[in-house]
Amino acid sequence: IFADMFALPPSDSNESYERRPCIQMPDSAEDLEAVLRLLYYETTLSLERLDPKTPSIVDPILSIATKYEIRVLREPIIKQLTEDWPTTLKAWDVLEKEIAVMLKAAYDDPVVFIMDDHLPEPVSAIRLAYKCGVPTILPAAFYHLSRLPMRWDRTELKTIG
């Protein structure tokens, strides 16, 4: 994509700088900087498993990686999302057991355990899946969303199962 953009022939309709074509990119400078930093300096995007902040962290990077077809960034992010939102029943059952262990530890711990601080939140995952074309995580995210109580409170300990 970038090679094609920079190979555009000069024309009167294209803006130029020092007689070279300028290409307007509507993406924010911060988002482009994050993508370029990953491409040139950091070889991987370090994400914690089941981190509720993952959708907001990866959203701008995945959006640009999708838009400009940067597979080297897109594929590892999708892999992480798929680990947080399994695509098979067997993988979902493994995740459920992992969450059950977390909940048991939380009940034994006197510190208040807030689910949102420790587990992925389905609505942001669904929004990201639609925005960036990651339909494989939708069944698990919608399933999890369907199991949340209508009057879900952030401080509730038992929101799963």
Side-chain angles (χ1 to χ4, degrees), residues 19-98:
R19 291 185 278 177
R20 300 197 188 269
C22 283
I23 300 167
Q24 297 293 327
M25 298 178 75
D27 311 293
S28 77
E30 295 82 15
D31 294 349
L32 286 170
E33 178 184 5
V35 167
L36 293 173
R37 187 179 307 113
L38 276 170
L39 287 171
Y40 289 102
Y41 299 111
E42 304 166 19
T43 55
T44 60
L45 181 63
S46 59
L47 299 168
E48 291 184 34
R49 176 142 168 72
L50 302 176
D51 186 344
K53 295 179 288 250
T54 295
S56 62
I57 292 169
V58 301
D59 186 333
I61 296 165
L62 186 58
S63 296
I64 290 175
T66 300
K67 180 178 181 179
Y68 297 113
E69 299 177 9
I70 307 172
R71 285 191 315 255
V72 70
L73 292 180
R74 183 174 159 76
E75 289 171 359
I77 292 171
I78 290 174
K79 182 177 185 271
Q80 176 69 44
L81 290 171
T82 303
E83 288 174 10
D84 289 351
W85 298 102
T87 58
T88 66
L89 184 57
K90 184 177 180 179
W92 181 263
D93 289 342
V94 169
L95 177 62
E96 288 277 295
K97 288 177 185 171
E98 189 177 334

Side-chain angles (χ1 to χ4, degrees), residues 92 96 142-149 159-161:
W92 181 263
E96 288 277 295
F142 274 116
Y143 174 64
H144 179 58
L145 181 62
S146 74
R147 297 183 319 152
L148 297 176
T159 60
I160 299 188

Side-chain angles (χ1 to χ4, degrees), residues 1-12:
I1 297 284
F2 287 121
D4 290 343
M5 287 171 48
F6 292 120
L8 291 172
S11 73
D12 293 337

